[in-house]
Amino acid sequence: EKDMKKKTTTELLNILANEKNIKNYIKDNKDELEAKALYEELERLLEKYKLTKAEVIKRSNLQSGYGYQIFNGTKENPSRDKLLALCVAMKINFDEVQKVLTLANCGILYPRHIRDSIIINAVNKGIGLQKLNQLLCDMDMDILE
């Protein structure tokens, strides 16, 4: 990946607000825009963290078939909780979790929501899924499954 300074979302919004032609905006900012599919991002994360699909799916407690469908892009609109279970199982960082959720068109983790705060804390601390689910359960929240 290029080491170019990324524009902030605010900068992009300002450019977009003043852009008369959307095609020019897309052409001029193509390096800034997400065109990646969810499964491509998941593949990149597996490589980065030297993980296999099999071990991540096992750690995520997802049904094997469902997990593989998410990884190979055949599962349309996987649920937010199932994606979060995969993310926690991969022990990826907060920004990476948010990117996965964004690419899947799921709501990103929001620190004003109690359950999301517990998940954010677990992600930041690298807590595994079992321990996270125990915490959620202890606080009368739905577990990730």
Side-chain angles (χ1 to χ4, degrees), residues 33-63:
L33 305 175
E34 296 287 354
K36 197 181 276 186
L38 172 65
Y39 74 92
E40 293 172 308
E41 179 62 12
L42 292 173
E43 199 63 51
R44 186 189 73 78
L45 292 165
L46 287 173
E47 251 173 71
K48 177 182 174 183
Y49 291 98
K50 297 178 177 28
L51 299 164
T52 67
K53 290 175 189 172
E55 67 181 315
V56 171
I57 291 167
K58 188 174 190 292
R59 270 195 260 162
S60 73
N61 295 333
L62 294 184
Q63 288 183 325

Side-chain angles (χ1 to χ4, degrees), residues 43 100 133:
E43 199 63 51
V100 165
N133 275 340

Side-chain angles (χ1 to χ4, degrees), residues 99-110:
K99 185 170 186 182
V100 165
L101 292 173
T102 301
L103 287 172
N105 293 315
C106 292
I108 58 174
L109 289 168
Y110 186 57

Side-chain angles (χ1 to χ4, degrees), residues 11-79:
E11 287 171 320
L12 287 174
L13 282 170
N14 288 335
I15 295 166
L16 198 48
N18 297 305
E19 183 58 71
K20 287 168 185 58
N21 185 328
I22 189 66
K23 289 179 182 163
N24 290 341
Y25 169 83
I26 291 168
K27 181 169 59 76
D28 296 345
N29 296 287
K30 70 173 180 291
D31 293 342
E32 305 281 343
L33 305 175
E34 296 287 354
K36 197 181 276 186
L38 172 65
Y39 74 92
E40 293 172 308
E41 179 62 12
L42 292 173
E43 199 63 51
R44 186 189 73 78
L45 292 165
L46 287 173
E47 251 173 71
K48 177 182 174 183
Y49 291 98
K50 297 178 177 28
L51 299 164
T52 67
K53 290 175 189 172
E55 67 181 315
V56 171
I57 291 167
K58 188 174 190 292
R59 270 195 260 162
S60 73
N61 295 333
L62 294 184
Q63 288 183 325
S64 175
Y66 193 98
Y68 281 107
Q69 286 178 343
I70 294 173
F71 275 117
N72 64 29
T74 57
K75 179 72 193 146
E76 294 283 321
N77 308 317
S79 81

